[in-house]
Amino acid sequence: MLPQKRPHPDSKSKPPPLPEAEQKIYTSIKSKQSMGIWTADIKRETGLPNTVVTKALKSLQNKNLIKDVVNVHNRAKKMFMAVEFEPSREISGGSWYTDGKLDTELINALKRVCLRYIAEHKVTTMEEISRSIEASRVLNVPCSMQQLLEIVRTLVLDKEIEEFRSKGAGEFARVPSGKTCYRISRGKVGTEAGYLASVPCGVCPRISECTPDGVISPKTCVYYNKWLNLDF
């Protein structure tokens, strides 16, 4: 599951009784809150020798007062943070990173699920996409609306899908007028790029009769399901 963010405590709270060097280092680290601090900056701030800093950092970790964290922008440098805090988005990379590594498996899985739902329903909204994914339990991790919105925006930028304001009529009839909605990008059909390069819908002679819950439907189309080839 995605980590739950802890509330930030008051960084001015009095540190526990510690040896002088450890207290000096702990205070320096805790004052940086969710931004953390590099080992080199700890040495510069405290003015303590390398051997003293190294020993104190190990002791503070053993006492569960500090932790080392990964900065996605510079994984080689060691960074420390008080255990009460969670790394800021600038440090962790946000919800798409796990232990400092981009979770491409989750991102690609969400892209496929969103594409499938949009293709099945012709025109749909973010709320419908979110409810469908939550109800289907196709993913074993919770996903917020913001995460799904980031995925959908990526698909729009990649020209896999198109974003519209509903006109409230025609293909947009079931979506209230003026509401943002999405559909599969018609410009991708027949091209060699992206997920939709070989989508069978573009050459299907019965496409005009295809509806989400009809006799002819994406849910029952063997060619469509073969094209999706979803495997989570």
Side-chain angles (χ1 to χ4, degrees):
M1 293 181 65
L2 295 176
Q4 298 297 313
K5 304 299 183 185
R6 304 175 193 170
H8 286 182
D10 181 3
S11 61
K12 296 181 181 179
S13 59
K14 186 178 179 181
L18 294 168
E20 185 178 353
E22 289 184 22
Q23 183 170 328
K24 197 171 185 180
I25 291 172
Y26 176 67
T27 301
S28 174
I29 294 172
K30 191 172 183 180
S31 70
K32 301 305 183 290
Q33 301 185 27
S34 62
M35 293 304 295
I37 184 172
W38 304 113
T39 305
D41 291 333
I42 295 173
K43 295 173 184 176
R44 184 166 52 252
E45 272 197 15
T46 61
L48 295 170
N50 288 350
T51 53
V52 174
V53 171
T54 301
K55 183 177 179 180
L57 288 172
K58 185 175 181 180
S59 176
L60 290 170
Q61 283 185 290
N62 289 338
K63 293 172 182 176
N64 199 33
L65 293 174
I66 65 170
K67 59 186 176 182
D68 59 275
V69 295
V70 175
N71 186 319
V72 296
H73 304 293
N74 196 331
R75 297 172 57 84
K77 284 188 176 182
K78 196 119 180 180
M79 175 171 274
F80 291 92
M81 183 178 295
V83 294
E84 298 96 323
F85 299 99
E86 292 295 334
S88 66
R89 189 181 182 89
E90 293 87 343
I91 302 299
S92 69
S95 55
W96 300 120
Y97 285 77
T98 302
D99 297 328
K101 296 181 181 179
L102 185 65
D103 195 340
T104 54
E105 184 177 351
L106 173 61
I107 292 170
N108 290 332
L110 280 171
K111 282 183 176 181
R112 293 196 297 269
V113 171
C114 288
L115 278 172
R116 179 174 188 174
Y117 185 84
I118 295 168
E120 285 181 351
H121 291 78
K122 303 290 185 70
V123 174
T124 189
T125 65
M126 272 306 310
E127 290 79 8
E128 290 173 333
I129 295 171
S130 178
R131 285 197 298 268
S132 172
I133 291 176
E134 184 177 357
S136 69
R137 301 182 183 276
V138 70
L139 299 172
N140 59 5
V141 294
C143 292
S144 67
M145 176 70 81
Q146 180 59 37
Q147 284 180 288
L148 291 177
L149 183 57
E150 289 174 5
I151 289 293
V152 168
R153 283 174 175 168
T154 298
L155 292 172
V156 171
L157 290 173
D158 290 342
K159 301 186 186 302
E160 304 287 359
I161 63 175
E162 297 171 325
E163 181 179 287
F164 292 91
R165 290 284 182 180
S166 173
K167 300 174 183 178
E171 66 178 317
F172 303 103
R174 69 183 192 82
V175 180
S177 180
K179 190 171 183 61
T180 300
C181 53
Y182 304 89
R183 74 180 182 196
I184 294 296
S185 176
R186 293 175 181 178
K188 298 297 289 188
V189 176
T191 70
E192 296 181 354
Y195 287 104
L196 308 178
S198 57
V199 58
C201 308
V203 295
C204 178
R206 309 292 294 277
I207 186 65
S208 62
E209 303 171 43
C210 183
T211 58
D213 299 309
V215 176
I216 299 175
S217 164
K219 295 179 182 178
T220 58
C221 178
V222 293
Y223 302 107
Y224 180 70
N225 288 321
K226 183 179 181 181
W227 169 70
L228 285 170
N229 191 26
L230 292 177
D231 182 18
F232 302 111

